Amino acid sequence: MIRRIVRHPSFLCAMTVWALWLTYMISTDRWALFETYWAASVTMLFGSFIAGATSEGGGAVAFPVFTLVFGIKPEIARDFSVMIQSVGMTAAAIAIFTLKVPVVGRAIIVAALAGACGVIIGLDYIAPLLPGPVAKTLFTAVWLSFGVALFLINRDKKRRVFGADVELRLADYVALAVFGGIGGVITGIVGSGIDIVVFSFLVLALRVSERVATPTSVVLMATNSLTAFAWKGLGFGAQPLAPEAWDLWLCCVPIVVIGAPLGAWFIRSRSREFVVRILYASIVVQYIGALILLPQSLFLLGFNIATVLVGTALFCGMSRYGAGFDRGVWRAKPAAWKRA
C-alpha cells in the first residue's frame, strides 16, 4: 500500500513541489511570511480541497475571501488566484488522469485554446478598466446566476444525462469556443471563470453529468491558470505579477498541491446530487458574504442585479438549448446517456 502511494504521480508531484519550495524557503529564510499571511494558508487549506472536488477553482474561494474579508486589492487576489491554481489545479488534473476519471477531452481542447486568448484579453485590456468593487460584484453575481439555472434544471429528477463520450455537433464546438473565450476573459478579471462557464455549458446545454463535467472543468481551469501565470510571469503582460501575490503564493503552495488532489480523489465516487449540493452551498455563502461585507451603492446594486439577470438568462438559454437532447433533436450514442 505504501509503495503504491509513493509511486503515485500525485504523490511524486507533491513531493517535487515540496522539495523545491523547501529549498527556496530555507535558502532565502522567508519563514516570517507566515506571520503575515497565515490566514491565507488556512483559507487555501479548504479552498484547494473544494477546487479539486468541484467545478470551482481555488480562485473561486481565494478571490472573494481575500478581497471581501482580508481587504486585499482585487488585482492582487486575481494574480494570486491564477498563480495558486497553476499548482493546485494542475496537481488535481494529474490525479484525475491518473485515476482515469472520465472527462470530455474534446471540450477541454477547444475551450482551452479559446480560453487562452480570452484570459490575455481579460488581463491586459478589461481588468484595468474595472474598479475593485465592480470586479468583486461581477464574480459573486455570475456565480449566483449559474446557481439559479442549475437549481431550475435539477428540479427535473428524470432528465437525461450524458457521459464523457457525449456526441458533439459543429454548433457545440463553436459554442465551446465562444464560452471558453468568455470564461477566459472572466478569469483575466477575477482569477477564475472559465471553469464555471464551460461547466455550465456542459451541464445545462449538453446535459453532461456533473460527475463528468466537474473533472473536465478542473483540467480546463488548470490550463487557463497556467496560461495566465506564464503570460504575466514571463513579462508578456501589460503589468507584472503583483509582489504581494508572490508572498501569498509561497505561503499556500505546499498546501494546495496536496489539498486539490485529495478533493479530486474524494469526489470521484460521490453522486451527482452530492456535487450539486456542494455548489449550492458555496454559491449562497459567497453571494451573501459579498452583500454584507462590500459597501453598497446604487450603481453597485444596479450592476449586481443586472449581472444576475443577464447571467441567469444566459445560463437558462443554455438549458433551453440542451432541452433538444430530451426532445430527440440531437442524439448521443446509446451508451452515452443514462437516467439521472
Side-chain angles (χ1 to χ4, degrees):
M1 179 66 178
I2 296 179
R3 183 175 299 178
R4 288 179 58 188
I5 294 176
V6 172
R7 292 179 177 178
H8 197 280
S10 294
F11 179 83
L12 295 176
C13 175
M15 291 302 99
T16 300
V17 172
W18 267 78
L20 294 172
W21 177 79
L22 283 172
T23 300
Y24 177 82
M25 293 295 287
I26 292 173
S27 63
T28 58
D29 191 25
R30 304 200 67 187
W31 302 104
L33 287 175
F34 284 98
E35 296 180 9
T36 304
Y37 299 114
W38 62 269
S41 301
V42 174
T43 299
M44 294 314 298
L45 180 67
F46 298 99
S48 61
F49 184 86
I50 292 175
T54 72
S55 58
E56 289 188 299
V61 176
F63 188 86
V65 172
F66 285 14
T67 57
L68 297 173
V69 179
F70 301 150
I72 294 174
K73 294 181 179 179
E75 58 269 24
I76 296 175
R78 184 270 321 281
D79 284 356
F80 167 79
S81 294
V82 297
M83 292 166 68
I84 205 65
Q85 286 169 167
S86 297
V87 179
M89 302 299 274
T90 299
I94 291 173
I96 287 168
F97 288 128
T98 302
L99 295 169
K100 297 182 179 179
V101 177
V103 297
V104 187
R106 292 160 295 167
I108 293 174
I109 294 172
V110 174
L113 292 174
C117 298
V119 74
I120 293 172
I121 294 172
L123 285 170
D124 288 354
Y125 301 104
I126 299 180
L129 302 177
L130 298 181
V134 173
K136 300 173 188 178
T137 300
L138 174 68
F139 180 91
T140 54
V142 169
W143 267 97
L144 180 65
S145 59
F146 164 72
V148 171
L150 189 62
F151 172 77
L152 292 176
I153 192 175
N154 274 287
R155 290 190 302 173
D156 181 5
K157 301 300 182 182
K158 294 184 179 181
R159 69 183 176 92
R160 287 179 175 180
V161 293
F162 298 80
D165 57 348
V166 60
E167 184 179 350
L168 300 179
R169 296 165 63 90
L170 177 60
D172 300 326
Y173 285 112
V174 173
L176 281 167
V178 171
F179 290 122
I182 293 173
V185 170
I186 297 175
T187 298
I189 298 172
V190 298
S192 179
I194 193 172
D195 47 354
I196 184 58
V197 174
V198 176
F199 175 87
S200 304
F201 183 73
L202 291 174
V203 172
L204 300 175
L206 301 185
R207 295 296 200 259
V208 174
S209 169
E210 286 89 341
R211 291 185 62 186
V212 175
T214 294
T216 301
S217 68
V218 169
V219 176
L220 189 56
M221 191 68 248
T223 65
N224 209 226
S225 297
L226 286 168
T227 300
F229 194 1
W231 181 257
K232 297 198 71 174
L234 295 177
F236 295 112
Q239 296 292 331
L241 291 166
E244 188 177 353
W246 282 106
D247 294 340
L248 288 162
W249 187 72
L250 286 172
C251 292
C252 298
V253 161
I255 295 172
V256 301
V257 78
I258 295 176
L262 283 177
W265 173 84
F266 171 80
I267 206 64
R268 69 189 180 107
S269 59
R270 307 298 169 179
S271 68
R272 180 173 61 84
E273 291 77 11
F274 182 84
V275 175
V276 171
R277 285 195 292 268
I278 292 179
L279 288 174
Y280 287 156
S282 63
I283 289 169
V284 171
V285 169
Q286 288 174 4
Y287 188 77
I288 294 177
L291 289 178
I292 295 174
L293 298 175
L294 188 63
Q296 299 295 323
S297 64
L298 287 177
F299 169 78
L300 207 57
L301 286 172
F303 178 77
N304 193 337
I305 294 172
T307 302
V308 172
L309 291 177
V310 172
T312 301
L314 174 64
F315 291 130
C316 287
M318 292 181 183
S319 181
R320 289 179 63 85
Y321 175 85
F325 281 123
D326 296 329
R327 294 193 304 267
V329 177
W330 301 285
R331 299 186 184 278
K333 299 174 184 178
W337 67 272
K338 62 180 180 179
R339 288 287 181 179

